[in-house]
Structure formats: structure tokens, C-alpha cells
Amino acid sequence: MSGSTGDAGMFLAHATPGNVPPELTPIRLLTGWVFEPIPILVAMLFGGLYLYGVHKLRARGDSWSRWRSFSFLGLGLGTFLLATESALAAYDTVLLSVHMVQHMVLAMITPIFLALGAPITLALRTLPAKWRNRLNALLHSRYAKVVTFPAFAGFVFVLNPFALYFTPWYELTLRNTFMHDMNHVHFVIIGCMWFWPLLGLDPMPRASYPMRLLAVFATLPFHAWLGIAIMSSSNVLAGDWYDDLGRDWGASPLSDQGTAGGILWGSGDIVGLLVFLVLFVQWARASEREAVREDRRLDRLELIEAGRKAREERLAREAAEAGGGVEPGLEAVGKSVPKSTLPGDSARTEDADSAVRVASGPEPRSADAAE
């Protein structure tokens, strides 16, 4: 494939010296697509597995949120393909500013929507028991607790771009096609490791909301520092590559690098603040749900206690009626006229017996007496 097929159409997936796409314009930004087989295969694999899980779930009569499906397939995998198949991929090795937009989409946008699609929950509901148990064991393993701990995941997330742009690694990803594609996948993996324990819906080790908010707040300055470092650098990152490329249009590599640093700084802070606000809202809603659950629990305890007291009172009445030997209608009379068991109280005993006879009326005559 040549450098381009005109103002609109397919461009090179990886520009090389002598094969540079035409100048980037708004039209080419919308129409300059490439064919990258590895990202397409990755998207087809995970998208197919997700759709199979949803189909299997609904085939047995269970429901699955359409928003989750749209989040994973449309917004998660959709932004992944947008970053790796559109003009962002056609110009990511030509302009560092374009690469930086692509980087931020893959590392900070795609992972968030993949997490909101809850693919691990879907897997736990559809996998056979053997594999479900293995996945559960992995989610609750010490490895998972370490990898998802905010301090560790945040450190890796922050260190990753510093290691990429200030080492020979970045130029290697520009010169090697396979490493270039793997770098895209690597951005998504690192982003998932950071955002899934923060915002995701899947069952996995999670820190408390205050800890998560603190972790997000602590990472905010690092994008600014990295962006400023790139903007203020007098050396072009991967300068040998851009010199060999021979691009004869647009801003100079150093000027474009300044734009890239500004994109990293601004977009990193904006996404970080949005994540901070989303976490705060999630915390408030979780607190409300917890309050509702606590109210229901207290209501259940009150009902249980009221039932227990009613049962005890009923059993006490039944025991009193069975042990007293008097008819229910005479219970008040029996209580008001206590019987004495002392020899000197025979008169009072007779008075009590008389009171009982008067209250109960004349004794019925037996059949023999009637005759």
C-alpha cells in the first residue's frame, strides 16, 4: 500500500521513511482509516466472548443490562478500534501530538468503559463450575490483592508513561510494527489494572472509597509533571526517527512535541477529575444503599423481637390457664380471692369457696339426682 489513496481513504498503518501520509487536515482526520489486523482480532475475540456470554445468559431466562453490553462493546471496544484503526493510527508514528491523543484514549477512556461492562461478572454467571471456581480463586488470591491495591496500581499507572517516553522504548515502538501494536494493548492493560478496582462493577479486591479517592487525587499531579517535562524539553523524543521520517509538512517535531505535552497535561487532569467526581458520587450512592439496608435490617429485628414477645405472652397465658384449673371466666375471681392453706384461715377459705360458687351460678344437677 502506498502512502495514501487521496484525500480520503486508507493510509499506511505505520508510516516509514519515504512513505508518509499527506498533511493532516480535518477531512483526513475523519476519513483516514487504516487496517490494523492485531487490534481487530483482539476486539473480535473479546467482543465475541462477551456476546456469547450474554446469549447464554438470556437463553436460560436470565437478564443482563443492555447498558453494560453497550458500555463494553460500543464504548469500550469501540474506542479501542477508533484509536487503532482511524486517522489516530495513521498519524500516530508521524505526529507525537496525535500519538498522545491515541495514548490517552487507550489508557484512560477505553478501560473505564470496559470496566463498566462488568465482563468478569458475566463470566462468573456463565462459565462452567470448574472454570468459575478457578476464576474466583484468582480474584481472591494474594496476587489479585497486590495488583489491584491502589498504591501499587497507581504507581504502575503513573510510572508507565515516564518509562515509555524517557527511555529508548518509545522509539522502538515506532520502528517495530509488532512492538507498536503491543504498545497499544499494553496501554489498555495498564489502564484496566488502575481503573477496574476504582470504578468497575466486577467482584474483586477493592479498597474503601476514601482510599480510592485519595489514590486518584495523588495521581493527578503526575500527568501535569510529565506533560510539562515533555513541553519544556529541548530534545525531541525519538528524534532520530522523526529525522529519518522526512515529514515536510506541519509543525516542526519540537513544536509538535510541545503540543503533545499540553494534550497529556490537560486531558490527564480532566479525566482524573471526572474519575474523582464519579467516585464521589458512587460513594454517596453506596452510603445511601447501606443506610437503606441498615434500616431494613433494623425493621426485621424489630419484627422478630415483637413476634418473640407475642409468642412468650401467648405461651405464658396458655401455661397459666392449664395450671390454674379454673375456667377462663373465673380467672379474675380466683385471683381476687386467694385460697389459704393455713389451718387458722378456714373461714376465709370457706368465704372464697362461697364466692366462687356464687360467681359460677347453681351447680347443674346430675342425671341420678333428677331421677
Side-chain angles (χ1 to χ4, degrees), residues 28-316:
R28 292 192 179 105
L29 184 62
L30 297 175
T31 60
W33 292 80
V34 301
F35 176 73
E36 286 270 32
I38 292 181
I40 290 176
L41 291 175
V42 170
M44 289 178 61
L45 173 63
F46 287 100
L49 290 174
Y50 193 95
L51 286 173
Y52 175 74
V54 173
H55 170 74
K56 187 175 179 180
L57 205 61
R58 291 180 175 171
R60 70 186 188 202
D62 294 336
S63 61
W64 183 255
S65 169
R66 293 182 178 179
W67 159 248
R68 291 186 181 183
S69 298
F70 177 69
S71 178
F72 186 88
L73 298 170
L75 299 176
L77 295 181
T79 54
F80 175 73
L81 289 175
L82 179 68
T84 56
E85 304 293 328
S86 70
L88 296 178
Y91 289 87
D92 66 342
T93 59
V94 180
L95 296 169
L96 182 59
S97 56
V98 173
H99 163 83
M100 201 61 70
V101 174
Q102 181 192 57
H103 174 172
M104 300 308 291
V105 170
L106 292 173
M108 302 193 74
I109 304 299
T110 298
I112 291 176
F113 289 115
L114 292 178
L116 295 177
I120 296 177
T121 300
L122 180 62
L124 289 172
R125 293 181 62 183
T126 55
L127 284 173
K130 175 182 176 181
W131 291 101
R132 185 167 59 249
N133 292 336
R134 290 182 177 179
L135 180 56
N136 261 320
L138 176 61
L139 291 173
H140 295 88
S141 65
R142 182 177 299 178
Y143 171 78
K145 292 179 180 179
V146 171
V147 170
T148 58
F149 186 66
F152 178 82
F155 175 77
V156 174
F157 181 74
V158 166
L159 181 65
N160 177 66
F162 283 92
L164 172 65
Y165 296 117
F166 292 108
T167 66
W169 183 14
Y170 176 58
E171 185 166 352
L172 177 62
T173 64
L174 296 175
R175 295 187 179 276
N176 186 288
T177 300
F178 178 77
M179 291 296 296
H180 187 77
D181 290 336
M182 288 299 99
N183 192 39
H184 295 159
V185 177
H186 157 262
F187 283 147
V188 178
I189 292 174
I190 297 298
C192 287
M193 191 175 75
W194 171 237
F195 285 111
W196 280 25
L198 292 176
L199 302 174
L201 308 176
D202 291 317
M204 61 175 55
R206 297 185 190 279
S208 63
Y209 276 103
M211 176 65 74
R212 283 185 260 175
L213 285 169
L214 180 62
V216 173
F217 186 77
T219 60
L220 286 177
F222 288 95
H223 282 101
W225 294 345
L226 179 59
I228 292 173
I230 292 176
M231 291 172 63
S232 59
S233 176
S234 58
N235 297 320
V236 178
L237 302 180
D240 291 342
W241 165 260
Y242 291 112
D243 289 340
D244 294 342
L245 199 61
R247 173 173 59 85
D248 57 1
W249 51 261
S252 66
L254 188 59
S255 176
D256 181 64
Q257 180 172 297
T259 303
I263 292 172
L264 177 61
W265 180 3
S267 60
D269 284 351
I270 291 173
V271 175
L273 288 173
L274 289 176
V275 170
F276 189 87
L277 292 176
V278 170
L279 267 177
F280 190 82
V281 171
Q282 286 185 346
W283 186 12
R285 291 180 177 176
S287 299
E288 291 177 359
R289 290 193 297 267
E290 183 62 28
V292 171
R293 284 195 295 267
E294 182 64 16
D295 289 341
R296 290 176 179 173
R297 186 185 70 85
L298 293 176
D299 290 342
R300 287 194 300 268
L301 290 177
E302 289 179 0
L303 290 174
I304 292 171
E305 182 65 17
R308 184 186 64 81
K309 289 182 178 180
R311 187 167 56 252
E312 289 179 352
E313 292 175 359
R314 178 176 56 82
L315 292 175

